[in-house]
Each structure stands twice: as structure tokens, then as C-alpha cells.
Amino acid sequence: MTSIQEVALSAGVSAATVSRALAGKPGVSDRVRAKVVQIASDLDYSISKSAASLTTGRTLTIGLITPDVSRWYFGHLVAAIEKKLSEAGYDILLYDIGSGESRGRFFAKMPLRKRVDAVVALLIPNDHEATVLQSLRVPVAILGASRPGFASLGANDVLTAATAVRHLINLGHQKIGMIGAGNTPEDLVSPRERRAGYLLALSEAGIDFDPQLEQNGDYTALGGERAMDLLLAAPTRPTAVFAQSDEMAIGAMKSIRRHGLSIPTDISIIGIDDHELSDAVGLTTLAQPLADHGSEIARAILGQLSEPGVEVPRIELPTRLIVRETTGPAKP
Amino acid sequence: MTSIQEVALSAGVSAATVSRALAGKPGVSDRVRAKVVQIASDLDYSISKSAASLTTGRTLTIGLITPDVSRWYFGHLVAAIEKKLSEAGYDILLYDIGSGESRGRFFAKMPLRKRVDAVVALLIPNDHEATVLQSLRVPVAILGASRPGFASLGANDVLTAATAVRHLINLGHQKIGMIGAGNTPEDLVSPRERRAGYLLALSEAGIDFDPQLEQNGDYTALGGERAMDLLLAAPTRPTAVFAQSDEMAIGAMKSIRRHGLSIPTDISIIGIDDHELSDAVGLTTLAQPLADHGSEIARAILGQLSEPGVEVPRIELPTRLIVRETTGPAKP
DNA sequence: GTGAAAGCGCTAACAC
DNA sequence: GTGTTAGCGCTTTCAC
């Protein structure tokens, strides 16, 4: 492992000069700089970030916290964020913290302390978690609702959900079910806000809310399937269902087919996400431009890094209705 | 940012003692240790890994390289690996390097140099890439075929593919199509080995290989759909199709339905992966236990870290046939 | 334009 | 059992 000293020795200059030359700092003659660069390359020299961090206080590393990279939603965000930040010269420390107890343990230990220049947290922090993140004393970006001191980004979940439900209403549906999730405050997406959008669209149309038409699908395909089973077993069957995610919608489709019903003739279904397989199964949905979300949040954090203290306004990105084959007019 | 010195001062001991006490090293009295721990906690002290790395030479960080975290396959592997390694006290530096040019750039820069204690590369390195990884002088684990000097892990792709095709043959199919991928040597999964398994199963059954029945689906749903379109347009239509991934299989299903054919009555289809949505769409497939793959490869690299130099044997994990509704007997 | 010296925060070796 | 010392590999004054 060649050190800066060896490069300096070999180039016949001091370590300070090598440092300046390699960092592109002024105050080095072109001739010396060229020579140093050449020799560094010959010696296969690469800087020790540990040592550099120790002196500069900067780590050139950004912490990225996610509840579960294996989920479609987070995987896409992580990929987009990683791309943008690595282009800017930062390395990514990934923490896939899960939920519940393991999430608690993560915030208790907070392994990012003194290790990163900034943090992107793909979750909605509760007050305690927000305090812990603040205590890192680096810029932090979060998803979901805006919070003082954090950059934040998200879709307008109320509007998105309302758009989905309005689409069903416009098709003439009145009995509209919803497959959502418990009011888990620690999850990323905001089931509550999407529920609010559902209620909003119903009330706009003068449709009474029927609690029987609401079921929990846990944001998984299996959960969606079970939720649909329950909706179909209820006394008043819905003619259309709004699922808060495509995975749940696709699970629900299985249940519908299993009951011998056809889509959209008997039941319409709409999701949110535009999951990579939604096109293949013909699912009508609201597309979330996750690649844009990711690069925007990355951009926000890079902004904080270059101009600390400047409040970053909340970024809100649009969703787009994609009509495919799972929604159709209500039977007369 | 409190340093070890401040803790030492506050506890009335030397920095060395604080270091020993906090690291759980022997040679500290219980009384002093307790006091130091208490004060460190009071002062909200946390160690500077940069400084610690500089002295010990260990970073407690492992580099994780993946072609694309947003893909189902890699997302699940990354999640499983992260879990296991973080439990062992390591942090993960994530590099989502893409393919082609960006992959080349990554290996040219090799930002992991001097930054990690070990590397897990979720890809099949070519010779050049293997050399670069070797040059890091840390333990490296890779996916795919075994290579001297690396730990490696993967499924037996030949066997897996053959199992899929044998299932179709057992159902009486003779005209069996395949949706695969170009012989992209840099991709993770081995299209060539899966193709070999396909050919093996055919020849076992005395079925001649028909080049017209083979199409490229690029490991995406859309690619699978297009590949299926081509298979259906060919003079001799297959009665069953083996897709090298579930995403491609699901795309192919769309094409089949669009042509007014029914599954499995007219055409059977089988995939590989057991994607999270495969159950919902009823796809017959070969399940790959990615969580196991991930934790096994993590275990392999942890083993290398604790006992350097010990060759780790290649780990091969089984796949399991899951019969659902997309495969059925060939029409008589 | 370049070098010498100091120091970032920690751990390991050696004293006592 | 604990303290002192040296040094890991850099960057950053401050001289010249």
C-alpha cells in the first residue's frame, strides 16, 4: 500500500506538494504536477480516505438509510440516489434497517455518527428518530412530510389517491373498496394520506364512506389477496377497488380471478406505483417517477453540502395516471 | 464532537485506558471500565472510525458491488447480505455500478481501494475485473463460477434449467421454446449455463433442438413479451416455453393472452426465480432461495475475514420446482 | 512554488 | 491495571 510519502520520495518533492498536486490545488507548477500525477499512477497510489478524513473532517461519504432495499419501491430509489451521489464523488454507506425492533436498534446505535458528511433517510422519522438524525450535525434529507431542519421529498399522497379514486368514480363506480395498510406511522408511504385522498374523492362525489369496504393489505401481494378475499366476502361487494400499491393490486387480482369474477367486467382495480410488472398484467395505476424522486433528493442533499444552512424547499413530484385494462365502466 | 481525550480527561484516566475500556479489552479494572463507559455515554461520545482505521489498518467496512440494486434479484441479495454483515458489526459501502461503460469506469477507478476490509461482488468478473479485485488485497467473494482466490456462490444453473425443461417434457411437451438472453458475459445469471441445461434436457428426451424456438428477452418483462411475440409468429409454434427468469415469463404471458391463447391450455410457461409476484399470477417456476444465497455469501466472507488464507469451497444452493397454474399437459 | 512542522483521533508497544 | 509515547497517512498553516 503505497503512501503519499513514497510518491513524494519517488518524485523528489515533499508530501505536501504531492497532496496539492493530486488534489488539483493551486500553487504547484505544471511541470511538478504532471510528474507527480505520473508517478502516483506508476506506483498505483491511491489516497487513504481515513487519513484524509482525519485531517479535513470530511468523509466524502453519505449515509443512506432504507427500511428494505429488496422492496421494489426502495430498490429503485436507492439505485437512483446512488447513481447521482456517486457521480458527485461520494461513496454510499447503506443501512437497510428493517422495521420495528431492528429499526429501533439502528437509531439507538446510530452507526453513522462521525462517518458521513450527510444522510438520506428513506423513511418518515418519528420525533425521536428525527432528534437522533439532527444530532449527527450533518445535512439530512428525508422522505414524506416536510420537517424543519430537513430537506424532504415526496409525492402528494392525498392527491395521488384522490386521482385514482376519481378515475373509478368517473367510470360510474359507487361502491369503491380500498386496500391499504394499518396506520403504521413508521412506514414510508403514508397510508393515512392515501386514505384521506380516498375519502376526499368519495365525499366530492357525494358517496358515503362504508367502513366495510376498507381492508388492510400490508403492502404485499399476499396481503392484497387476503384483503380482497375479505372484500368479496362482505355483504356489499365493491364494483371497484383502489389498492394503495401495485403489489397489493396484483394480489387482489388473483383473489378476484379465484372467485370466478372477471376484471374489469365484474370488478375494476387500480393501484399506485407502476411497478415493473404492472404493464405485463395490464394494471391501471398511478405512476410514481422514482428515478426522478431519487435524483431530486440526491440533488437536494448535494445542495445542502455545498451551501450549508440554506433551507431546501420541500420537493413534490407529480404522479401520472396510466389507464390499462383493469379498470372499466361500472355495470349499469 | 467529543474525542477520546475529553472522555479521558473527564474520567480522570488516560486515553489509552478509555480505548481499552470501550473496546472491551482486558487489563482494565471493572470499576474504571464502568466509570469510563458511563462517562462516554454521558458525553455522547462515539469513536472516530477514520482515526481507528488509521491505527489498526481495519476499516470494519465491506464493499458490496452490484450491477443494479433496483432489480428484484439483486435487491434481495443485497438486503440479505447487508443484514448478515451488519449483524457482524460491519458497515456496507454500496456500489451500484450498472453495466457496460459505467461498469468499466468503476473498475478503472476502483474507489474501494484502501476503504474496505473485504468485498462482495454480485457479478461474474471477467479476467481484467478479477485482477483488479485481487489487487485490493482483501478477501473477495463473487457470484457465479468458482475462481481461484475468490469465494464464490451460486446456483447450479445447468441443473436448474434442466429441471424446468424436464417438467415441461414430463407434461408431454415436445415443442419447447426458450426465452433467454444474449450471451452477455458480464451479467450475473448465466444465460449460457441455463441454455446448456435446456439443451441437455431436450437431448435426454431425444428432442431435436430447433433454433427458431429460441429468443432473447433481456431479462425484462417487456423483453419477454417481445420474445414471445416472435415465438408465436414463427412457423412452428411451441406448446410450452421455458423463460430464464420470472419477469420474462410474466411478460411472455401478456403476449400469449394478447394473441387470444390461453395458459396453460394452449401454451405452458415456466420461469426461474419465484419472484414476489409469481404466486399472484400463478406462474410455475424454480425458486431460488436468495435470502439463503445472501447470508451464505456473507458468511463466506466473514469466514475469510476471521481466518485469512483458508480457501472457501464454492457454495451451491438448491433450487426448488414450484408448480402453479401456468404449466399443464400438452394437447394430445 | 515548495518544504517543514504540527496535528487530526485513535491504538499498540512499552514502561512502571 | 494504567500511563506515556510514538505513529498511522494525510492536509494545512507558516516559512522561505
Side-chain angles (χ1 to χ4, degrees):
Chain A
M1 293 291 110
T2 52
S3 75
I4 201 172
Q5 278 298 347
E6 307 178 48
V7 177
L9 219 62
S10 183
V13 296
S14 73
T17 297
V18 175
S19 174
R20 284 188 278 253
L22 260 27
K25 295 249 170 84
V28 186
S29 72
D30 288 353
R31 222 175 42 76
V32 171
R33 188 186 303 275
K35 183 169 185 190
V36 167
V37 167
Q38 178 61 48
I39 288 180
S41 146
D42 288 352
L43 263 45
D44 202 29
Y45 167 75
S46 68
I47 196 174
S48 157
K49 283 216 184 184
S50 295
S53 300
L54 203 51
T55 31
T56 61
R58 301 181 55 208
T59 61
L60 291 181
T61 303
I62 291 177
L64 180 51
I65 308 170
T66 149
D68 187 356
V69 240
S70 74
R71 274 164 65 178
W72 180 83
Y73 185 92
F74 297 113
H76 279 262
L77 279 177
V78 168
I81 292 168
E82 202 280 345
K83 182 160 188 286
K84 192 91 175 184
L85 294 182
S86 64
E87 281 170 8
Y90 286 93
D91 287 333
I92 304 299
L93 271 178
L94 178 74
Y95 295 89
D96 193 44
I97 64 172
S99 55
E101 207 192 320
S102 64
R103 176 161 169 165
R105 245 179 292 132
F106 171 79
F107 278 98
K109 287 190 60 176
M110 221 349 120
L112 277 73
R113 192 155 273 139
K114 290 189 191 167
R115 291 217 64 180
V116 294
D117 293 343
V119 171
V120 176
L122 300 183
L123 42 83
I124 301 176
N126 61 31
D127 290 345
H128 167 64
E129 292 167 349
T131 308
V132 173
L133 290 173
Q134 292 275 28
S135 75
L136 296 176
R137 316 200 148 280
V138 297
V140 176
I142 59 175
L143 240 54
S146 145
R147 234 181 211 277
F150 294 96
S152 72
L153 175 141
N156 183 331
D157 280 306
V158 177
L159 180 61
T160 302
T163 305
V165 177
R166 284 183 198 131
H167 171 66
L168 299 174
I169 291 171
N170 289 340
L171 287 167
H173 294 280
Q174 295 275 325
K175 287 183 194 145
I176 300 175
M178 177 174 72
I179 300 177
N183 288 334
T184 57
E186 70 164 29
D187 207 324
L188 156 74
V189 287
S190 178
R192 274 172 306 190
E193 302 211 335
R194 291 185 177 175
R195 182 169 188 272
Y198 166 71
L199 295 176
L200 172 66
L202 289 186
S203 79
E204 281 171 359
I207 301 173
D208 284 339
F209 166 61
D210 177 354
Q212 301 230 27
L213 290 180
E214 185 180 5
Q215 291 294 343
N216 181 354
D218 277 335
Y219 279 91
T220 67
L222 188 59
E225 184 183 349
R226 293 196 178 135
M228 194 70 217
D229 285 346
L230 294 174
L231 287 175
L232 292 177
T236 55
R237 278 191 176 176
T239 64
V241 171
F242 159 52
Q244 288 191 9
S245 81
D246 282 2
E247 279 110 322
M248 293 194 290
I250 293 173
M253 288 168 69
K254 180 184 180 190
S255 162
I256 295 170
R257 280 193 308 269
R258 183 158 35 72
H259 282 79
L261 301 170
S262 75
I263 304 170
T265 321
D266 297 313
I267 296 193
S268 285
I269 182 146
I270 187 169
I272 293 184
D273 272 349
D274 197 26
H275 187 283
E276 60 185 329
L277 293 181
S278 297
D279 176 67
V281 300
L283 179 65
T284 295
T285 190
L286 277 108
Q288 308 222 56
L290 292 192
D292 295 347
H293 282 218
S295 50
E296 281 303 316
I297 202 166
R299 207 145 66 120
I301 206 72
L302 290 173
Q304 293 271 295
L305 248 11
S306 56
E307 299 184 58
V310 178
E311 276 282 318
V312 175
R314 172 176 165 75
I315 304 159
E316 205 153 88
L317 290 164
T319 49
R320 186 169 46 91
L321 177 65
I322 300 181
V323 180
R324 297 202 180 96
E325 296 102 55
T326 58
T327 49
K331 282 187 190 166
Chain B
M1 293 292 108
T2 51
S3 75
I4 201 172
Q5 278 297 347
E6 308 178 45
V7 176
L9 219 63
S10 183
V13 296
S14 73
T17 298
V18 174
S19 174
R20 284 187 280 250
L22 260 28
K25 295 247 171 87
V28 186
S29 72
D30 288 354
R31 221 173 45 76
V32 170
R33 190 187 300 275
K35 183 172 184 187
V36 166
V37 167
Q38 178 61 48
I39 288 180
S41 146
D42 288 352
L43 264 45
D44 202 29
Y45 168 76
S46 69
I47 196 174
S48 157
K49 283 215 184 184
S50 296
S53 300
L54 202 51
T55 31
T56 61
R58 302 180 55 206
T59 61
L60 291 180
T61 302
I62 292 177
L64 180 52
I65 308 170
T66 148
D68 188 355
V69 238
S70 74
R71 274 165 63 179
W72 180 83
Y73 185 92
F74 297 113
H76 278 262
L77 279 178
V78 168
I81 292 168
E82 202 279 346
K83 183 159 186 288
K84 193 90 176 182
L85 295 182
S86 64
E87 281 169 6
Y90 286 92
D91 288 332
I92 304 298
L93 271 178
L94 178 75
Y95 295 88
D96 193 46
I97 63 171
S99 56
E101 206 191 321
S102 63
R103 176 162 170 164
R105 247 179 291 132
F106 171 80
F107 278 98
K109 286 191 60 176
M110 223 345 121
L112 277 72
R113 193 155 272 139
K114 291 190 192 167
R115 291 218 63 180
V116 295
D117 294 342
V119 171
V120 176
L122 300 183
L123 42 81
I124 302 176
N126 60 32
D127 289 346
H128 167 65
E129 292 167 349
T131 309
V132 174
L133 289 173
Q134 294 274 29
S135 75
L136 297 176
R137 316 200 148 280
V138 296
V140 176
I142 59 175
L143 239 55
S146 145
R147 232 181 211 277
F150 294 98
S152 71
L153 175 141
N156 183 330
D157 280 307
V158 177
L159 180 60
T160 302
T163 305
V165 177
R166 284 182 198 134
H167 170 66
L168 299 174
I169 291 170
N170 290 341
L171 287 166
H173 293 279
Q174 296 275 327
K175 288 182 193 148
I176 299 175
M178 178 174 70
I179 301 179
N183 289 334
T184 57
E186 69 165 30
D187 208 323
L188 157 72
V189 285
S190 178
R192 271 172 307 189
E193 301 210 337
R194 292 185 176 175
R195 182 169 187 273
Y198 166 72
L199 295 176
L200 172 65
L202 288 185
S203 81
E204 280 170 0
I207 301 172
D208 282 340
F209 166 61
D210 177 355
Q212 301 230 29
L213 290 180
E214 184 180 6
Q215 292 293 342
N216 180 355
D218 277 335
Y219 279 91
T220 66
L222 188 60
E225 184 183 347
R226 294 199 177 131
M228 194 72 218
D229 285 346
L230 294 173
L231 287 176
L232 292 177
T236 54
R237 279 190 176 176
T239 65
V241 171
F242 158 53
Q244 287 191 10
S245 80
D246 282 2
E247 279 111 322
M248 293 194 289
I250 292 173
M253 288 168 70
K254 180 184 179 189
S255 161
I256 294 170
R257 280 194 308 268
R258 182 159 36 71
H259 282 79
L261 301 170
S262 75
I263 303 170
T265 321
D266 297 313
I267 296 193
S268 285
I269 181 146
I270 187 170
I272 292 183
D273 272 349
D274 196 27
H275 187 283
E276 57 184 332
L277 294 180
S278 295
D279 175 67
V281 301
L283 179 65
T284 295
T285 190
L286 276 108
Q288 308 220 56
L290 292 192
D292 296 347
H293 282 219
S295 50
E296 280 304 315
I297 202 167
R299 208 145 65 122
I301 206 72
L302 290 173
Q304 294 272 294
L305 247 12
S306 56
E307 299 185 58
V310 178
E311 276 281 318
V312 175
R314 171 177 166 76
I315 304 159
E316 205 154 89
L317 289 163
T319 49
R320 186 169 46 91
L321 176 65
I322 299 182
V323 180
R324 297 203 181 96
E325 295 102 56
T326 58
T327 48
K331 283 186 190 167

